Amino acid sequence: MAADQRMKQVLDAQDGLYTLVLKHSDGTYEPRVIGSIVEYLYAPDDPEAVVEKMAAESTRIVSLTITESGYNVSDLTGEFDVNNPAVVADLEPGSVLRTTFGLVTEALRRRRMRGLRPFTIMSCDNLQDNGYRSKRVFTAFARLRDPELGDWVEREARFPNSMVDRITPVTTDGDRAEISERFGIEDRWPVVCEPTPSGCSRTPSRPDGRHTSRPGYRWWTMSSPTS
């Protein structure tokens, strides 16, 4: 997407730094410079670099924020749409990978060939049972590439159901101007949001069974009426 490419250009120019501004209910603003981004890879520019980064042993979690339509589920069948032209193109031998499924599955294939465990695929989209949905579609694509790979992904990979509760609007020119005026910070890609992030995970996202968390975040274990 064009916005993603612009974001990469901005963050590269800012050494990966951006301003997080919390808007509190009492009208106060709390700015903080975030330095957690150490590298920004843009898949359309260099899909091989993205695949190899995910395939590296040091990668433990690949998170997704691709919206509901990004899961490529057919409105007619409720199953993975194998006729999507982008999916068909990614399944061609030697193709330049363009879809989320193609990139992630190729990284998983390389890890399997290297004797590595699969990384956890964690959907952060606000969808019910997003982990179950992720498992269905990625397993389906992997089986189209190689049935044995699909079985391995289904058996070994973790797809936790999750929910992240934080309203974060799209950054606007008004946000940029306000941050410059209020704090004297010239940031071309600030993030303005409400405080108190929280999340839920039904399946542990680490092999040792513990949740990945950090101070200031609240996590709960989800349950369903039948669990």
Side-chain angles (χ1 to χ4, degrees), residues 130-150:
N130 52 14
Y132 296 147
R133 182 181 300 221
S134 299
K135 185 171 185 175
R136 281 172 50 211
V137 296
F138 281 100
T139 299
F141 184 91
R143 282 206 172 99
L144 291 171
R145 279 206 56 177
D146 176 356
E148 291 187 1
L149 174 62

Side-chain angles (χ1 to χ4, degrees), residues 61-64 120-124 158 160 162 200-201 205 219:
I61 297 175
V62 171
S63 63
L64 307 173
T120 292
I121 300 175
M122 186 170 186
S123 169
C124 295
R158 289 177 170 84
S162 66
C200 300
S201 178
S205 59
W219 284 88

Side-chain angles (χ1 to χ4, degrees), residues 127-174:
L127 301 172
Q128 185 175 7
D129 293 334
N130 52 14
Y132 296 147
R133 182 181 300 221
S134 299
K135 185 171 185 175
R136 281 172 50 211
V137 296
F138 281 100
T139 299
F141 184 91
R143 282 206 172 99
L144 291 171
R145 279 206 56 177
D146 176 356
E148 291 187 1
L149 174 62
D151 290 343
W152 180 78
V153 170
E154 183 176 43
R155 183 179 65 252
E156 301 292 338
R158 289 177 170 84
F159 297 84
N161 288 311
S162 66
M163 184 276 292
V164 178
D165 181 19
R166 188 177 214 173
I167 299 173
T168 307
V170 174
T171 299
T172 66
D173 288 338

Side-chain angles (χ1 to χ4, degrees), residues 4-172:
D4 296 320
Q5 190 170 39
R6 291 196 302 273
M7 186 187 300
K8 172 178 168 51
Q9 293 168 351
V10 167
L11 290 177
D12 282 350
Q14 297 181 177
D15 293 328
L17 302 174
Y18 66 94
T19 310
L20 172 67
V21 179
L22 304 183
K23 285 187 174 182
H24 293 274
S25 58
D26 62 1
T28 60
Y29 285 54
E30 181 186 349
R32 193 171 92 186
V33 175
I34 305 297
S36 59
I37 298 176
V38 297
E39 186 176 17
Y40 192 132
L41 297 176
Y42 184 57
D45 286 348
D46 194 347
E48 172 60 26
V50 172
V51 168
E52 194 53 37
K53 180 66 69 173
M54 290 189 288
E57 186 175 7
S58 58
T59 299
R60 302 295 180 86
I61 297 175
V62 171
S63 63
L64 307 173
T65 310
I66 56 177
T67 75
E68 183 173 7
S69 63
Y71 291 84
N72 192 47
V73 175
S74 169
D75 292 333
L76 296 177
T77 66
E79 300 298 329
F80 186 72
D81 184 2
V82 300
N83 297 313
N84 182 323
V87 168
V88 172
D90 266 12
L91 289 169
E92 288 293 325
S95 64
V96 177
L97 301 173
R98 296 299 183 191
T99 69
T100 303
F101 312 104
L103 294 163
V104 171
T105 301
E106 173 59 19
L108 289 168
R109 185 193 70 82
R110 294 184 190 186
R111 290 175 76 103
R112 180 171 178 253
M113 295 297 293
R114 296 169 187 175
L116 301 175
R117 290 184 55 82
F119 42 70
T120 292
I121 300 175
M122 186 170 186
S123 169
C124 295
D125 287 299
N126 191 19
L127 301 172
Q128 185 175 7
D129 293 334
N130 52 14
Y132 296 147
R133 182 181 300 221
S134 299
K135 185 171 185 175
R136 281 172 50 211
V137 296
F138 281 100
T139 299
F141 184 91
R143 282 206 172 99
L144 291 171
R145 279 206 56 177
D146 176 356
E148 291 187 1
L149 174 62
D151 290 343
W152 180 78
V153 170
E154 183 176 43
R155 183 179 65 252
E156 301 292 338
R158 289 177 170 84
F159 297 84
N161 288 311
S162 66
M163 184 276 292
V164 178
D165 181 19
R166 188 177 214 173
I167 299 173
T168 307
V170 174
T171 299
T172 66

